[in-house]
Amino acid sequence: MPRRGLILQTRTHWLLLGLALLCSLVLFLYLLECAPQTDGNAPLPGVIGENYGKEYYQALLQEQEEHYQTRATSLKRQIAQLKQELQEMSEKMRSLQERKNVGANGIGYQGNKEQTPSDLLEFLHSQIDKAEVSIGAKLPSEYGVIPFESFTLMKVFQLEMGLTRHPEEKPVRKDKRDELVEVIEAGLEVINNPDEDDEQEEEDSPLGEKMIFNENDFIEGYYRTERDKGTQYELFFKKADLMEYRHVTLFRPFGPLMKVKSEMIDITRSIINIIVPLAERTEAFAQFMQNFRDVCIHQDKRIHLTVVYFGKEGLSKVKSILESVTSESNFHNYTLIPLNEEFNRGQGLNVGAQAWDKGEVLMFFCDVDIYFSAEFLNSCRLNAEPGKKVFYPVVFSLYNPAIVYASQDVPPPVEQQLVHKKDSGFWRDFGFGMTCQYRSDFLTIGGFDMEVKGWGGEDVHLYRKYLHGDLIVIRTPVPGLFHLWHEKRCADELTPEQYLIYYEDQ
């Protein structure tokens, strides 16, 4: 019995020793597999024979480490995004199944038919087939071409530009920047992990390793969007020491239309308080009141006018214009607030908003050189919602009529100048002064910044407040809102920033 116990003990000892060796071997292989690949025979960067100090190699290592950290962060973000999309798709599929079970009739690309993943994939591929990716479309004229916009790692070159945009600019908008970064990363994934049907040969580096492309190998790209099909991307990559380019075509297909909500909006009782800050400029105010009489008094009839006047000079003339227009139209829904102090647009609008004492109201902040239509007033009502949305329309700014209509003896009446043509004006996409918002939202966000003196800059500060909040900002050109041309007068006391804003917004 002792001998058998000794043998058993010996076998147990060797078994444990074997397990330990096996674990050590597995750990060693794991470390070899996960360790970054290096080439022991490759020379250090730099010209042969040069001596580099310790700081140079530390900086080089730091640069490589930052590159890998950036790549790792990007991959994590893509994984998280894919997980989220998968979860959303699962929820949509479950919702569609539930609707089918209860007999609800849905509106979608394929009617009431339940869309399985294979159906959805087939639809997305059909979008690519219908788009102008592999074969050109027959177009009626040169104006039917959908232009591309080109981009590099740092800049975007836009063809459809406003007056304030540069021929080249960085993608400052987050959605565009994230879109282009994602596209470049997807192109690298295609090149570095090719499918069997990809038309490219496996290339090796001069050292015999598999060639790996990175962001620095991206040369240029082009993209354009077909509104009903999707966005096409053409990407070009190239190694610095090679002549061959890698070309990748990607397409982001648009999915079927999905109903978000359907509602009825009743604006029959929606009053708009039009607030106009003013100092002098009595002739412009007389023209403004003609437009106000024709649109607000004779057509809309659901308007209250608040005029905040700065200073004493011209105040009597403004009172006379108001009384003349309102008496002949039997209109009494207006308020004139005189302020015997220097003009401050933000303060004037703050005072006008606080002067309203009848509860909630929709406010339209308007300047005296603005012409608006009755259709715009309805757009103001439809696109602003208390606690949810504020409306920032882009006005169409008219050029000097003396130049636009130089071939005529005299310019036509203002009403005939209100046309959207390239030679008559431009969309003032850098202006944020005209806005529709509810009084409660304006007061909750703190109104205008009173530190901004004079004219210019206060509207941008308010706009940024809304952008930093939870309300939806509706920003879009509207055809019924015009900025009438007038001569520029830059005040001497403005700050350098206000000089630029003042000149642009005149």
Side-chain angles (χ1 to χ4, degrees), residues 37 80 149 208 309:
Q37 297 181 359
E149 293 183 355
Y309 193 85

Side-chain angles (χ1 to χ4, degrees), residues 275-295:
I275 305 178
V276 181
L278 184 63
E280 302 178 354
R281 302 194 65 185
T282 55
E283 294 183 0
F285 183 69
Q287 186 179 47
F288 173 85
M289 288 305 299
Q290 292 181 9
N291 175 226
F292 182 87
R293 178 194 59 197
D294 296 339
V295 174

Side-chain angles (χ1 to χ4, degrees), residues 130-141 144-146 224 226:
K130 290 186 291 185
E132 192 178 348
V133 177
S134 301
I135 187 173
K138 295 182 179 180
L139 304 176
S141 70
V145 174
I146 302 176
R224 68 175 180 180
E226 297 185 54

Side-chain angles (χ1 to χ4, degrees), residues 8-275:
L8 182 59
Q9 184 177 3
T10 302
R11 291 180 177 177
T12 303
H13 173 76
W14 284 107
L15 180 61
L16 292 176
L17 181 59
L19 289 175
L21 291 174
L22 181 60
C23 292
S24 300
L25 180 60
V26 171
L27 179 60
F28 179 72
L29 293 176
Y30 174 78
L31 291 175
L32 287 178
E33 181 67 21
C34 296
Q37 297 181 359
T38 60
D39 183 11
N41 297 325
L44 291 175
V47 181
I48 298 176
E50 289 190 19
N51 294 324
Y52 289 85
K54 178 180 179 181
E55 294 78 5
Y56 171 80
Y57 295 108
Q58 287 180 343
L60 187 62
L61 291 174
Q62 179 67 23
E63 180 182 353
Q64 292 295 326
E65 182 179 357
E66 292 177 356
H67 173 75
Y68 287 124
Q69 288 179 352
T70 302
R71 183 62 177 166
T73 302
S74 174
L75 291 174
K76 289 180 180 179
R77 181 175 61 83
Q78 291 185 61
I79 292 174
Q81 183 179 1
L82 290 173
K83 288 182 178 179
Q84 181 180 358
E85 292 178 355
L86 180 60
Q87 182 179 0
E88 292 176 355
M89 184 60 68
S90 300
E91 293 176 356
K92 291 177 182 178
M93 295 299 299
R94 183 168 59 254
S95 177
L96 289 173
Q97 182 64 37
E98 292 175 355
R99 290 183 183 181
K100 181 179 179 180
N101 292 339
V102 298
N105 292 326
I107 301 177
Y109 175 76
Q110 294 184 349
N112 296 333
K113 179 183 177 181
E114 178 189 3
Q115 280 195 318
T116 63
S118 60
D119 295 332
L120 181 59
L121 186 60
E122 182 180 353
F123 169 79
L124 296 179
H125 280 292
S126 69
Q127 291 288 81
I128 300 177
D129 295 336
K130 290 186 291 185
E132 192 178 348
V133 177
S134 301
I135 187 173
K138 295 182 179 180
L139 304 176
S141 70
E142 67 274 16
Y143 301 106
V145 174
I146 302 176
F148 282 90
E149 293 183 355
S150 62
F151 64 99
T152 63
L153 280 175
M154 300 300 297
K155 295 181 179 181
V156 176
F157 303 88
Q158 301 181 98
L159 183 61
E160 298 179 359
M161 301 174 295
L163 291 182
T164 61
R165 303 233 172 89
H166 300 288
E168 60 178 35
E169 65 175 20
K170 295 182 179 180
V172 294
R173 268 179 39 186
K174 183 178 184 300
D175 60 336
K176 180 181 292 186
R177 184 176 64 251
D178 292 346
E179 172 196 5
L180 298 182
V181 170
E182 180 188 6
V183 167
I184 294 174
E185 292 174 349
L188 290 171
E189 180 67 22
V190 171
I191 294 177
N192 294 328
N193 299 282
D195 295 332
E196 294 181 357
D197 55 348
D198 287 341
E199 297 180 0
Q200 62 182 38
E201 299 178 358
E202 291 289 339
E203 295 187 22
D204 295 334
S205 67
L207 299 177
E209 299 178 349
K210 180 181 178 182
M211 186 176 298
I212 300 297
F213 287 77
N214 56 45
E215 291 85 351
N216 296 327
D217 300 322
F218 175 71
I219 303 301
E220 63 180 356
Y222 307 96
Y223 70 94
R224 68 175 180 180
T225 299
E226 297 185 54
R227 302 296 183 183
D228 59 337
K229 300 177 183 66
T231 303
Q232 173 187 354
Y233 304 90
E234 304 290 342
L235 310 177
F236 297 89
F237 300 85
K238 178 183 177 296
K239 285 290 184 181
D241 53 347
L242 297 178
M243 294 301 297
E244 293 81 6
Y245 285 80
R246 291 293 185 89
H247 174 211
V248 177
T249 299
L250 300 175
F251 195 84
R252 189 192 302 272
F254 296 154
L257 293 173
M258 298 185 65
K259 184 182 73 174
V260 177
K261 67 177 180 179
S262 177
E263 60 181 351
M264 180 180 295
I265 302 178
D266 184 7
I267 61 173
T268 56
R269 299 181 180 180
S270 179
I271 302 296
I272 299 180
N273 182 16
I274 301 179
I275 305 178

Side-chain angles (χ1 to χ4, degrees), residues 316-374:
S316 59
K317 179 65 173 178
V318 169
K319 288 182 178 179
S320 175
I321 295 173
L322 276 172
E323 292 172 356
S324 174
V325 173
T326 56
S327 62
E328 69 180 23
S329 304
N330 194 25
F331 178 81
H332 305 287
N333 295 331
Y334 72 93
T335 303
L336 175 62
I337 305 175
L339 296 178
N340 189 18
E341 53 188 86
E342 185 180 359
F343 178 78
N344 185 312
R345 184 177 186 273
Q347 181 183 357
L349 294 173
N350 275 345
V351 170
Q354 294 171 358
W356 180 270
D357 58 358
K358 301 177 183 179
E360 183 69 288
V361 69
L362 176 60
M363 304 183 302
F364 171 39
F365 294 160
C366 184
D367 289 341
V368 71
D369 48 20
I370 292 297
Y371 185 100
F372 54 85
S373 66

